[in-house]
Amino acid sequence: MAVIDSRSQGVLQPLKTENTGEVETRLRLFVSAITGLDKTLVRKRWNQKPATQPPFGTDWCAVGVVRVRSVGNPDFQGNKGNIQKPDSGDVVSKRHQTLFCLASFYGQNAQENADLLRDGLGIPQNNSWLQSQGLTVKTVDDEATHVPEFVNQQWLDRYDLSFQIGRKLTRTFGVRTIANADFEIITYHCNN
C-alpha cells in the first residue's frame, strides 16, 4: 500500500512532480509555430480515437514520442528536516530523459515542412520557447525520409523527420527525519 511519507510503513509515492506530464501537446504547438501549419493540422501521432484524415493534398503533420531513454539512476538531493516538525525534510529526485520524437509530414509541401522543422529546431530563440515549456532540443536528424503511402488508389506524399528532445523530471518524496524510536541507540567511541 502506498503512503504519503516515511512516517508510515509502505511504498512512498511522490508528494509533488514537475515536468512529468504529457509532452505531445507542447510538441504539437511547437511544430505548428515553426512550420506555420495550423495547430489543428498538427496532430498527436496516436490518438485514442483517431480523427478523420484531412482531405487529399492538405498539408498536415502527425508528431509524437516514439521512445524514451532514461540513463542511470536519478540524482537524489535531501533536505534535512527539523526534528520539531515531523513533516519536514523531503528528498527530491531529478532525472534527465531523452525523448525520441517523430514528425510525419503529409501533403504537397511535406518535404518543405520537414525541412522547415529541421532548420527551425536549430534556432536558439525557438529552443528558448521550448525550454519555457520544460523541454529542450538535443539533436535533429540530417535527413528526412520519404515514405509515401498508397491510399485510395493514389499516392499520399509523406516525409518523416526524427529529432530528440530533452527534459528533466523532478519528483519530491516525503522521507522524514527520525524524531523518535521504540529502541535505544548505543554508540561506542574507541580511541586507538
Side-chain angles (χ1 to χ4, degrees), residues 181-186:
D182 292 338
F183 55 88
E184 183 178 347
I185 300 174
I186 303 171

Side-chain angles (χ1 to χ4, degrees), residues 23 27 63-67 99-103 161-165:
V23 298
L27 287 177
V63 64
V65 177
V66 295
R67 197 170 47 142
L99 309 175
F100 294 81
C101 304
L102 181 64
L161 180 67
S162 298
F163 57 99
Q164 295 176 19
I165 299 292

Side-chain angles (χ1 to χ4, degrees), residues 7-64:
R7 290 178 289 174
S8 302
Q9 292 181 348
V11 177
L12 292 178
Q13 287 187 340
L15 299 172
K16 181 173 74 169
T17 61
E18 294 176 33
N19 206 25
T20 60
E22 185 267 345
V23 298
E24 272 87 1
T25 299
R26 292 177 271 176
L27 287 177
R28 283 183 44 248
L29 294 173
F30 189 55
V31 170
S32 171
I34 289 175
T35 61
L37 290 171
D38 187 276
K39 63 183 175 184
T40 62
L41 293 174
V42 180
R43 300 176 170 185
K44 287 174 67 170
R45 188 163 201 82
W46 300 279
N47 282 308
Q48 186 174 3
K49 293 182 179 181
T52 304
Q53 186 169 314
F56 194 83
T58 302
D59 290 330
W60 65 283
C61 176
V63 64

Side-chain angles (χ1 to χ4, degrees), residues 5 43 92 124 149 169:
D5 63 36
R43 300 176 170 185
V92 178
E149 296 179 16
L169 308 175

Side-chain angles (χ1 to χ4, degrees), residues 25-39 42 61 63 103 105 109 111-131 136-137 139-140 161 163-165:
T25 299
R26 292 177 271 176
L27 287 177
R28 283 183 44 248
L29 294 173
F30 189 55
V31 170
S32 171
I34 289 175
T35 61
L37 290 171
D38 187 276
K39 63 183 175 184
V42 180
C61 176
V63 64
F105 290 93
N109 299 301
Q111 181 183 3
E112 181 180 340
N113 286 324
D115 289 343
L116 267 173
L117 180 60
R118 182 189 318 102
D119 293 345
L121 287 169
I123 304 293
Q125 183 171 334
N126 292 347
N127 194 38
S128 292
W129 181 88
L130 194 61
Q131 288 170 340
T136 188
V137 176
T139 63
V140 183
L161 180 67
F163 57 99
Q164 295 176 19
I165 299 292

